[in-house]
């Protein structure tokens, strides 16, 4: 049962990885009309709502990791933070210094293209999913003693989710320190995934992982509990969003409790769906490919952002219609996986330099 469970996680994460390039190509290349008035735009908007899947799987995978000591978590957290800022350097700073970073993207961030130093600092410090993962691991390293009980994990997860809007945007007016507060609960677009509320997905994933450990001899019972959890959170989240959509779901990157619970329910339901997919594809060639993508999730994430952002030097920012985006998605996908294979062969059995969001 344990092996089956891990394969289901690989399917879950592997499928999520495959949507990265279409999503980010759309984000960086599509015009506003392509986003708002095409079938592709409609589909990708829904795909974007699947971003929490990485965080849920990270939390579940954490339960299977042997590296759960204070020191191990702290080191992993800082390592992922370094990777996150290294990615910002490759995807933003290098193109900016080489002169092929789109001015249109700089302006979209409310900056002046002529202010190189200010722009470099802004883009270097942008908080994305790797910053979230790193800070979350550091926080979890401080909480090792209290996370022995699954209900304590659930309680902290709900506290993060429910308190996020109350804390959102709090600053003290101190440069540097305010940036750290933004990483925790910022409400601006210098941080896309603040810990409050997004760490709630990681902790809820960890809670689901603990449920599995308790029910690994009763896989049917485990999935019944997952479905019940999904149904409850979807129902409560949907009701709250209906009552006050702007507060709970008006800003996707800075969600309220209702939006968090709704997306949490949807993404935890994917755990059961991925189990069904695994049973359907386990004897096909597609399954090993998903496992390969799952095992290399961080490296793929890193490579695809660099390829897409450097490609803006050729195609520009927000310039393409639906046909243009559809044309470059398979080209970029092939290029990213070709790079991955080359790097994978070069390093062979050496330890990964990039690590992973989470390991089994």
């Amino acid at each position: 049962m344990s092996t089956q469970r891990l394969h289901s996680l690989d399917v879950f994460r592997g499928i999520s990885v495959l949507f990265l390039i279409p999503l980010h190509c759309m984000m960086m290349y599509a015009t506003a009309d392509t986003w708002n008035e095409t079938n592709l735009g409609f589909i990708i908007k829904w795909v974007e709502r699947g971003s929490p899947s990485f965080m849920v799987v990270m939390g579940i995978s954490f339960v299977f990791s042997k590296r759960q000591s204070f020191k191990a978590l702290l080191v992993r957290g800082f390592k992922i933070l370094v990777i996150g800022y290294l990615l910002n350097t490759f995807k933003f700073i290098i193109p900016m210094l080489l002169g092929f970073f789109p001015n249109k993207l700089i302006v979209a961030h409310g900056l002046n293209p002529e202010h190189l130093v200010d722009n470099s600092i802004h883009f270097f410090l942008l908080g994305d999913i790797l910053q979230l993962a790193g800070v979350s691991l550091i926080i979890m390293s401080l909480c090792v003693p209290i996370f022995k009980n699954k209900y304590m994990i659930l309680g902290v997860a709900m506290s993060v989710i429910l308190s996020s809007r109350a804390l959102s945007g709090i600053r003290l007016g101190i440069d540097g320190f305010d940036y750290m507060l933004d990483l925790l609960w910022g409400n601006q677009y210098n941080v896309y995934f603040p810990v409050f509320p997004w760490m709630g997905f990681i902790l809820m994933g960890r809670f689901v992982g603990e449920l599995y450990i308790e029910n690994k001899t009763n896989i049917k019972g485990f999935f019944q509990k997952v479905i019940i959890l999904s149904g409850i959170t979807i129902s409560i989240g949907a009701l709250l969003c209906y009552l006050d959509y702007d507060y709970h779901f008006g800003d996707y990157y800075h969600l309220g409790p209702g939006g968090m619970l709704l997306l949490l329910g949807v993404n935890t339901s994917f755990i059961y769906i991925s189990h069904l997919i695994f049973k359907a594809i386990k004897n096909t060639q597609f399954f090993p490919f998903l496992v390969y993508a799952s095992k290399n999730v961080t490296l793929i994430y890193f490579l695809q952002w660099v390829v897409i952002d450097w490609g803006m030097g050729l195609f520009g920012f927000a310039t393409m219609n639906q046909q243009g985006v559809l044309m470059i998605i398979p080209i970029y996908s092939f290029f990213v996986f070709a790079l991955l294979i080359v790097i994978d062969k070069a390093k062979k059995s050496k330890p990964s330099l990039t690590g992973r969001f989470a390991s089994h």
Side-chain angles (χ1 to χ4, degrees), residues 6-20:
L6 292 177
H7 285 335
S8 298
L9 289 182
D10 279 327
V11 170
F12 188 10
R13 183 163 47 193
I15 291 175
S16 299
V17 169
L18 297 185
F19 283 112
L20 284 175

Side-chain angles (χ1 to χ4, degrees), residues 155 235 240 274 282 322 334:
S235 299
L240 291 174
S274 68
K282 61 183 179 180
Q322 177 174 259
F334 175 81

